[in-house]
Amino acid sequence: MSAPQNTGIGRTASTVVAPGTTTPAELPVVVTRLFKGVLYRESDEKLWQSLGELSSHVQDYVSVLGLELFLDDAEGYAFLRSRNDADVDLPRLVPRRQLTFAVSLLLALLRARLAEFDQRNDETRLIMTEAELHEMLAVFLPETSNEARMLDQLSTTVKKVVDLGFLRRLRGQEGSYEVARIIKAFVDAQWLEEFDARLADYRAALAGETPQEPQEGNGA
């Protein structure tokens, strides 16, 4: 799944370290944190500031490993992903994950819902209940008389999307989730333009054929 153009990398950093000087003290801390997963501004303002100041150094640091930094200032998240032009002999440090049909479909539906939400609201947090997620997804799944099995399948799909980092459980609000805005970096505009064609594949899958499964670009 292709990701949108990164507009954060290459911007002028607020702190510039001249070539030939020693490695900035914060650089190993920032890079190590990014190797652990997505960095959100809201979760660590201080580290986010360090990343903003050292983004060009982080990019240089990870590029030798076949990686690149994706940083979105507007949405407030950053992560590492494999470069398209990376040496084929390099081991892949950020593995691709094969997504199931149901997970792929839910990601597409969530991205479409987020786009609709952004057009109609000034708020940035899209909150959905588990019942809403189930209802949204169940429309595209085959009918069954085994309601318990259907609910189990829907709950498993939602849990997988939570594990991938595209849904966040809300503390103190049982059965409520926030759609993580990082989903925009994985399910991009081009992906959405092809959504109708993908739905045709999904409907073919319901008829017993095998759809072409989309892949997540990197783990979130």
Side-chain angles (χ1 to χ4, degrees):
M1 194 180 302
S2 60
Q5 181 67 31
N6 177 2
T7 58
I9 300 305
R11 72 184 188 285
T12 302
S14 57
T15 300
V16 178
V17 181
T21 60
T22 58
T23 299
E26 300 89 347
L27 183 59
V29 176
V30 172
V31 172
T32 299
R33 174 60 185 81
L34 287 168
F35 268 111
K36 293 181 178 180
V38 180
L39 172 62
Y40 292 97
R41 175 172 50 210
E42 63 187 29
S43 64
D44 195 328
E45 290 279 357
K46 183 177 180 180
L47 195 61
W48 182 266
Q49 182 178 355
S50 296
L51 174 61
E53 295 171 349
L54 298 171
S55 60
S56 60
H57 294 276
V58 173
Q59 179 62 49
D60 292 341
Y61 193 95
V62 301
S63 64
V64 297
L65 301 175
L67 302 175
E68 64 181 359
L69 171 66
F70 186 101
L71 187 154
D72 192 320
D73 272 325
E75 299 291 359
Y77 57 76
F79 58 89
L80 300 178
R81 64 183 181 186
S82 297
R83 286 168 40 198
N84 292 330
D85 61 347
D87 190 335
V88 294
D89 293 329
L90 284 174
R92 191 177 183 89
L93 297 179
V94 181
R96 291 185 180 274
R97 299 177 184 175
Q98 188 71 26
L99 305 179
T100 65
F101 158 68
V103 169
S104 300
L105 177 57
L106 182 54
L107 289 179
L109 293 172
L110 287 173
R111 180 62 182 90
R113 180 65 66 89
L114 182 60
E116 179 182 343
F117 175 83
D118 286 343
Q119 289 178 354
R120 298 183 178 182
N121 297 272
D122 294 329
E123 299 180 1
T124 59
R125 299 183 67 194
L126 171 56
I127 308 299
M128 299 185 67
T129 65
E130 187 157 10
E132 289 174 328
L133 294 170
H134 286 188
E135 181 180 0
M136 183 172 64
L137 185 58
V139 173
F140 298 92
L141 298 181
E143 295 183 3
T144 176
S145 58
N146 191 333
E147 184 176 350
R149 182 177 180 181
M150 169 67 79
L151 288 175
D152 182 65
Q153 180 183 359
L154 293 171
S155 296
T156 298
T157 300
V158 170
K159 182 179 183 301
K160 179 60 177 177
V161 174
V162 171
D163 293 342
L164 289 171
F166 297 118
L167 283 173
R168 300 179 192 170
R169 293 187 177 91
L170 298 183
R171 293 182 180 179
Q173 299 184 44
E174 185 68 25
S176 294
Y177 301 83
E178 178 181 355
V179 179
R181 301 190 67 83
I182 195 173
I183 197 172
K184 295 170 64 177
F186 290 85
V187 184
D188 61 10
Q190 181 180 354
W191 207 100
L192 287 176
E193 288 174 1
E194 299 170 353
F195 187 55
D196 286 342
R198 293 179 186 273
L199 279 181
D201 286 340
Y202 295 149
R203 291 191 175 100
L206 299 185
E209 300 174 16
T210 302
Q212 182 177 355
E213 298 246 356
Q215 288 185 333
E216 175 196 344
N218 295 311

